[in-house]
């Protein structure tokens, strides 16, 4: 059933021909109201939007900024762009003006498409402005005259989208993904048989995060339905679960943090939603105490740990062991999906390390990004010569992630190379300190930072307690317990108990916000 085409819209719209009546998108409108858009209706919306974009004079390669959350209309808009060879650049309605200004300045879009009324006052440019919704796409400000592009048809190497990653350091980088890269990732993902035509895939990531594009591709390429979870409801466990129940979601995808408050306050209500048969998570480690609670609430569900970087969408899908062994130290990230390969390379650049030896993950894959938009230096730092055969001209992605190989070849992620810090003359893997904190009774989430203090840098731990923990005494003795399993220089000098961890727009733990909150004592 999966289309062999290298073009994004042809893969995702294949069910229009084969199962036109099946639901493609099921929108939660609140108060028990749902809106279902069939594949036939989605296809018609794509054609209507594409006609408006063509009439506006846009040509292959013209960028289109797409400001919207995930919805049937937003999916139609990105597929319409895809069908015309217009690279779409998704940004969140939640994104601050200065971030949108940076994206617009970097990409020089011909058109700025919004789902919502009004416009961002702080974002100027000669781009056209369009508004789209269920009833069509309207150009409200004509785009400036564009350069003539003598292009006729699309190829696999044409750009499908640009995703700007906040990047752990420095200015946002535009990850350029071609049609061929995205569809070869999708084909690797479809081999995992995560969903079928009768599934309903709840998506919780913002459209600017490529995890949402995984969800949309997973659903539409499988003939299943996309269920966008309204982002404001994610903060209210009962409302989030209400959406899952009312829409009949069978698959729930999202970063680990979407489960934090649900598991803390509404684990029983989650357990009552028996339509959920799969959960896929990615982006960062899922704290094991919380994962155990998720498994307890959904014992029959298939839990998949998806590892990867935006520069290749993702690269591995690994089933969480069932049962989760009591002494499990960390989840495996398995092996790359068929068609890709993760290679470990040591500090000297030598590949294929011995079992247990930590190296940096290098990814060989047809799903690699084309490069960072307008940033050849950053591109050549990420797409490096193949460590196995440097003379071949072949490039692989240097991920910046550290891992070791287990007994039967599966990989274990141990942290980012840049989260290894030199602390009081010693190399400290912050993830290791976090992992030890999670082994302490009552702690369900932990983040450790090195923060400046008058007496010098200090290891600061921010922990979240489980619902049953006696918060008053939780921190007592915690340092003593850590001192039994960690060298003294790795025992945090500061411990703070929080009711939750701040997250970035993409849902990951927001370390910068913690550092600001912790501020100088
Ligand atoms: N499963 C894990 N366990 C632990 N650490 C993870 C996992 N997945 C990532 N990471 C970390 O996140 C980094 C990358 O960050 S990113 O570029 O913002 N992209 C992401 O997070 C999301 C990533 N594109 C992705 C993942 C799955 C599906 C899709 Br579609 C997209 C990786 O280099 C890792 O350091």
């Amino acid at each position: 059933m999966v289309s062999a085409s290298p073009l994004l819209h042809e893969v995702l719209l294949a069910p229009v021909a084969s199962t036109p009546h099946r639901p493609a998108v099921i929108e939660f409108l609140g108060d028990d109201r749902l809106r279902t858009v069939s594949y036939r209706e989605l296809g018609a919306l794509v054609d209507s939007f594409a006609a408006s974009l063509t009439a506006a004079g846009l040509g292959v390669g013209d960028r289109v900024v797409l400001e919207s959350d995930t919805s049937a209309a937003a999916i139609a808009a990105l597929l319409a762009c895809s069908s015309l060879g217009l690279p779409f650049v998704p940004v969140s309605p939640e994104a601050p003006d200065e971030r949108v200004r940076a994206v617009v300045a970097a990409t020089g879009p011909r058109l700025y498409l919004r789902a919502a009324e009004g416009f961002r006052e702080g974002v100027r440019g000669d781009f056209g402005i369009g508004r789209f919704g269920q009833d069509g796409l309207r150009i409200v400000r004509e785009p400036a005259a564009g350069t003539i592009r003598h292009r006729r048809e699309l190829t696999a190497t044409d750009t499908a989208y640009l995703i700007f990653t906040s990047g752990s350091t420095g200015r946002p980088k535009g990850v350029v993904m071609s049609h061929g890269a995205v569809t070869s990732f999708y084909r690797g993902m479809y081999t995992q048989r995560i969903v079928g035509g009768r599934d309903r895939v709840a998506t919780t990531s913002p459209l600017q995060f490529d995890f949402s594009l995984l969800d949309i591709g997973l659903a539409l390429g499988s003939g299943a339905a996309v269920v966008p979870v309204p982002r404001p409801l994610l903060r209210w466990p009962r409302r989030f679960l209400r959406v899952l129940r009312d829409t009949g979601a069978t698959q729930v995808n999202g970063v680990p943090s979407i489960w934090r408050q649900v598991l803390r306050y509404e684990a029983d209500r989650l357990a009552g939603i028996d339509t959920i048969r799969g959960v896929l998570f990615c982006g960062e480690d899922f704290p094991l105490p919380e994962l155990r609670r998720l498994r307890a609430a959904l014992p029959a569900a298939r839990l998949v740990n998806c590892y990867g970087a935006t520069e290749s969408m993702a690269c591995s899908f690994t089933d969480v062991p069932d049962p989760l062994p009591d002494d499990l130290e960390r989840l495996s990230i398995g092996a790359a999906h068929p068609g890709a390969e993760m290679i470990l390379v040591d500090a000297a650049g030598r590949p294929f390390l011995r079992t247990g030896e930590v190296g940096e993950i290098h990814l060989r894959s047809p799903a690699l990004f084309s490069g960072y938009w307008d940033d050849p230096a950053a591109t050549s730092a990420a797409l490096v010569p193949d460590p196995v055969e440097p003379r071949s001209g072949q490039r692989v992605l240097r991920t910046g992630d550290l891992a070791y190989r287990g007994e039967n070849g599966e990989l274990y992620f141990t942290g980012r190379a840049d989260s290894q810090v030199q602390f009081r003359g010693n190399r400290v893997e912050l993830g290791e300190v976090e992992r030890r904190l999670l082994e302490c009774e009552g702690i369900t989430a932990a983040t450790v930072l090195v923060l400046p203090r008058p007496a010098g840098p200090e290891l600061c731990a921010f922990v979240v307690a489980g619902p049953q923990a006696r918060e008053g005494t939780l921190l007592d003795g915690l340092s003593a317990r850590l001192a039994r399993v960690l060298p003294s220089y790795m025992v945090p000098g500061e411990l703070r108990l929080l009711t939750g961890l701040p997250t970035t727009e993409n849902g990951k733990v927001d370390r910068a916000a913690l550092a600001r909150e912790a501020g100088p004592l």
Side-chain angles (χ1 to χ4, degrees):
M1 131 87 102
V2 177
S3 157
S5 162
L7 302 180
L8 175 60
H9 53 285
E10 290 181 356
V11 171
L12 299 197
L13 289 174
V16 174
S18 53
T19 57
H21 309 298
R22 279 260 177 84
V25 186
I26 298 170
E27 294 177 340
F28 179 84
L29 305 176
D31 308 328
D32 296 332
R33 285 180 304 119
L34 300 178
R35 176 193 289 138
T36 297
V37 176
S38 70
Y39 275 97
R40 175 199 298 282
E41 289 164 328
L42 181 66
L45 210 48
V46 172
D47 294 344
S48 151
F49 285 11
S52 303
L53 291 167
T54 304
L58 274 70
V60 173
D62 286 341
R63 273 80 60 200
V64 175
V65 171
L66 178 56
E67 178 182 325
S68 178
D69 280 324
T70 302
S71 65
I75 292 171
L78 69 88
L79 290 173
C81 289
S82 170
S83 69
L84 298 173
L86 309 175
F88 60 90
V89 187
V91 296
S92 278
E94 302 144 31
D97 276 357
E98 82 270 359
R99 177 182 169 83
V100 177
R101 267 198 299 273
V103 169
V104 165
T107 58
R110 284 289 306 285
L111 185 66
Y112 193 115
L113 279 183
R114 295 189 97 217
E117 293 303 317
F119 191 66
R120 289 172 178 261
E121 289 321 309
V123 180
R124 305 200 183 298
D126 65 354
F127 45 79
I129 296 177
R131 217 168 304 298
F132 67 92
Q134 288 288 336
D135 51 5
L137 185 152
R138 269 180 315 111
I139 302 293
V140 295
R141 185 173 84 186
E142 288 298 322
T147 52
I148 305 294
R149 297 165 184 268
H150 300 288
R151 289 294 312 273
R152 289 177 303 105
E153 61 185 82
L154 295 183
T155 69
T157 57
D158 281 307
T159 300
Y161 64 79
L162 278 75
I163 289 250
F164 278 79
T165 64
S166 35
S168 38
T169 54
R171 69 192 176 92
K173 294 191 295 244
V175 175
V176 179
M177 290 297 279
S178 67
H179 281 266
V182 180
T183 54
S184 62
F185 167 75
Y186 281 160
R187 269 185 279 279
M189 173 171 65
Y190 297 143
T191 65
Q192 311 298 305
R193 300 266 179 275
I194 294 169
V195 296
R198 299 203 176 284
D199 279 295
R200 297 179 169 195
V201 181
T203 178
T204 59
S205 295
L207 203 54
Q208 75 179 20
F209 189 35
D210 57 346
F211 197 173
S212 63
L213 298 175
L214 172 139
D215 300 336
I216 293 165
L218 179 64
L220 300 188
S222 310
V226 179
V227 176
V229 177
R231 305 256 316 139
L233 303 188
L234 283 174
R235 285 194 291 273
W236 309 96
R238 286 196 173 196
R239 296 183 187 173
F240 174 28
L241 295 180
R242 173 81 179 276
V243 174
L244 299 181
R245 196 195 59 211
D246 289 5
T247 57
T250 60
Q251 174 77 22
V252 186
N253 290 2
V255 294
S257 63
I258 67 167
W259 297 108
R260 181 147 295 130
Q261 302 307 330
V262 166
L263 294 169
R264 191 178 160 88
Y265 298 111
E266 300 291 349
D268 293 342
R269 192 179 294 268
L270 171 63
I273 309 179
D274 51 15
T275 44
I276 298 174
R277 56 184 208 80
V279 169
L280 183 144
F281 54 88
C282 85
E284 57 188 2
D285 286 326
F286 202 129
L288 291 181
E290 291 182 333
L291 190 59
R292 292 183 194 286
R293 292 172 62 77
L294 181 65
R295 166 58 57 70
L298 299 171
R302 179 184 176 189
L303 307 181
V304 175
N305 178 20
C306 184
Y307 160 81
T310 297
E311 289 81 352
S312 70
M313 278 198 99
C315 76
S316 74
F317 300 86
T318 311
D319 281 63
V320 171
D322 185 6
L324 266 165
D326 293 340
D327 60 350
L328 186 73
E329 287 199 353
R330 55 169 54 90
L331 290 181
S332 162
I333 55 171
H337 62 71
E341 182 187 12
M342 291 193 274
I343 301 167
L344 292 186
V345 177
D346 68 12
R350 285 188 299 265
F352 304 129
L353 312 184
R354 288 187 307 281
T355 298
E357 195 181 344
V358 173
E360 183 174 352
I361 300 175
H362 286 59
L363 176 63
R364 183 197 310 278
S365 167
L368 294 187
F369 73 137
S370 308
Y372 294 113
W373 177 265
D374 195 19
D375 194 341
T379 300
S380 57
L383 290 175
V384 298
D386 177 353
V388 179
E389 185 39 85
R391 295 167 297 180
S392 66
Q394 168 87 339
R395 296 264 151 184
V396 299
L397 173 67
R398 179 175 188 179
T399 64
D401 288 333
L402 301 177
Y404 63 85
R405 206 169 282 283
E407 289 308 317
N408 40 16
E410 78 290 0
L411 289 190
Y412 292 87
F413 172 76
T414 60
R416 292 206 46 89
D418 53 26
S419 76
Q420 314 275 317
V421 293
Q422 278 311 103
F423 181 67
R424 296 183 180 166
N426 299 282
R427 171 182 288 259
V428 170
E429 165 48 58
L430 298 175
E432 178 61 16
V433 186
E434 290 165 2
R435 199 172 64 73
R436 293 300 186 178
L437 278 163
L438 289 171
E439 290 174 347
C440 300
E441 182 59 37
I443 299 219
T444 55
T447 297
V448 176
L449 302 175
V450 177
L451 295 177
R453 290 292 180 259
E458 182 55 89
L459 271 186
C460 303
F462 303 83
V463 299
V464 176
Q468 76 286 1
R470 292 181 311 289
E471 299 198 0
T473 61
L474 190 85
L475 296 187
D476 304 345
L478 197 51
S479 299
R481 262 176 288 159
L482 287 173
R484 285 200 289 275
V485 291
L486 287 171
S488 58
Y489 61 82
M490 285 178 74
V491 178
E494 286 175 31
L495 286 165
R496 290 165 193 254
L497 184 60
L498 306 177
T499 54
L501 292 171
T503 55
T504 63
E505 279 168 30
N506 289 351
K508 295 192 179 186
V509 173
D510 188 342
R511 286 168 162 73
L514 281 173
R516 283 195 301 275
E517 268 174 39
L521 268 187

